[in-house]
Amino acid sequence: MSFRPSQEGRQTSFADGEWGLSEGARRMLEASWAHVFATEVYPMIDEAPFAALYSDNPASRPNLPVRMTVGALILKELFRLTDEGLVEQLTFNTLFQHALNTDAVYGPPLST
């Protein structure tokens, strides 16, 4: 795998769990722990130290976002989840998806 830094912002689709939220539900989401994690913790995860762990060959497959992987591991420890429990939360829980700036349209963001 070759290293590629995370893209800023969030790419979503019409099937994203947040897309159909009512205004009240959106306010609840923005007042939740997930929004604090997404805006305060997630951007502070420094990916640069991890670049040395990846191939320099640009023809190799790009990595999953390091920020997402490290953020998921932080959430796993905070919520005392198993690996399977983490993948389940990332697949079905809008709060976890919001916290990691992802959605479950293309499956869980981590390998199972």
Side-chain angles (χ1 to χ4, degrees), residues 27-74:
R27 280 194 304 271
M28 288 174 59
L29 180 62
E30 290 174 358
S32 73
W33 66 265
H35 191 70
V36 172
F37 190 92
T39 59
E40 302 294 326
V41 177
Y42 190 77
M44 292 179 63
I45 298 172
D46 185 11
E47 296 180 309
F50 296 93
L53 301 174
Y54 293 91
S55 170
D56 292 332
N57 183 350
S60 62
R61 182 173 63 97
N63 62 298
L64 288 171
V66 171
R67 189 174 287 157
M68 185 181 299
T69 304
V70 172
L73 291 172
I74 291 170

Side-chain angles (χ1 to χ4, degrees), residues 89-112:
Q89 292 299 324
L90 290 172
T91 303
F92 299 110
N93 190 329
T94 302
L95 291 171
F96 274 71
Q97 294 166 10
H98 181 79
L100 298 178
N101 294 315
T102 188
D103 62 34
V105 172
Y106 302 106
L110 305 173
S111 298
T112 56

Side-chain angles (χ1 to χ4, degrees), residues 59-88:
S60 62
R61 182 173 63 97
N63 62 298
L64 288 171
V66 171
R67 189 174 287 157
M68 185 181 299
T69 304
V70 172
L73 291 172
I74 291 170
L75 293 177
K76 178 185 171 194
E77 293 302 317
L78 285 174
F79 289 95
R80 297 182 178 173
L81 298 170
T82 62
D83 292 342
E84 294 81 10
L86 176 64
V87 171
E88 183 177 288

